[in-house]
Amino acid sequence: MTLSAIVAMAANRVIGANNQLPWRLPTDLARFKRLTMGHTLLLGRKTYESIGRPLPGRTLVVVTRQRDYAPAGVQVVHSLEEALARARGDTEAFIAGGADLYAQTQHLWNRLYLTRIERDVPGDTWFPEVDLSAWRLIEQEHHPATGESGLPHAFLTYER
């Protein structure tokens, strides 16, 4: 199984504000859907709650310490090990947030799908520092500040 992280991050490493994405970037949401469709997503409880519902066509595994947490339509686990075990039958599983889950798993990733917003954005949640020196950039696609978002961004895919 390939374990991938998928994240949209501002230049200042911000990934969230008030448990929401601090931007509207339709091209990123479309990329997220295209890449993750048919696969397993591992995410923390707060990230799941920011989405607010199961995502069609994907298996969501929510990691939480809350023993009585049981939203319909997702699998709930109480450890990273249990989450990874649930994903083992998939060809590719995605770490989809939040910051704690990214930090706990970054040493395990084989691939990183990064949407890099090319400006600083205010927020209260940050992506952990990742040393990309051991990674190889295998794909990049730049988007100017046009359209609905007005935010210049790039889709970057790294492998190690």
Side-chain angles (χ1 to χ4, degrees):
M1 171 185 72
T2 299
L3 185 61
S4 300
I6 189 165
V7 64
M9 174 185 78
N12 58 346
R13 294 190 9 261
V14 163
I15 60 173
N18 300 314
N19 206 32
Q20 297 294 318
L21 290 174
W23 47 73
R24 175 146 171 66
L25 203 56
T27 55
D28 177 58
L29 296 176
R31 178 180 188 241
F32 179 89
K33 182 177 182 178
R34 178 176 46 82
L35 290 169
T36 63
M37 188 59 71
H39 294 288
T40 303
L41 277 74
L42 310 177
L43 54 159
R45 176 188 55 80
K46 289 185 207 171
T47 300
Y48 172 71
E49 288 176 351
S50 74
I51 296 168
R53 62 181 172 80
L55 296 174
R58 288 152 281 193
T59 301
L60 269 64
V61 179
V62 179
V63 183
T64 181
R65 291 181 199 91
Q66 295 181 6
R67 292 288 171 186
D68 59 346
Y69 191 73
V74 301
Q75 299 177 29
V76 176
V77 298
H78 304 289
S79 71
L80 176 57
E81 294 74 22
E82 194 179 351
L84 293 169
R86 297 278 178 104
R88 274 198 178 73
D90 204 339
T91 56
E92 185 171 19
F94 292 84
I95 304 296
D100 289 342
L101 199 56
Y102 288 130
Q104 291 173 36
T105 61
Q106 67 176 323
H107 66 286
L108 301 172
W109 306 336
N110 308 106
R111 190 173 294 141
L112 171 60
Y113 297 99
L114 173 63
T115 299
R116 181 167 163 75
I117 295 162
E118 297 169 357
R119 66 173 53 148
D120 288 351
V121 174
D124 56 21
T125 309
W126 294 268
F127 193 65
E129 291 277 351
V130 175
D131 178 5
L132 293 173
S133 64
W135 294 76
R136 187 170 48 97
L137 179 64
I138 61 166
E139 190 175 39
Q140 61 183 322
E141 181 182 317
H142 294 274
H143 298 267
T146 60
E148 208 173 318
S149 74
L151 292 172
H153 59 284
F155 297 148
L156 307 168
T157 305
Y158 293 89
E159 283 188 349
R160 65 172 163 187

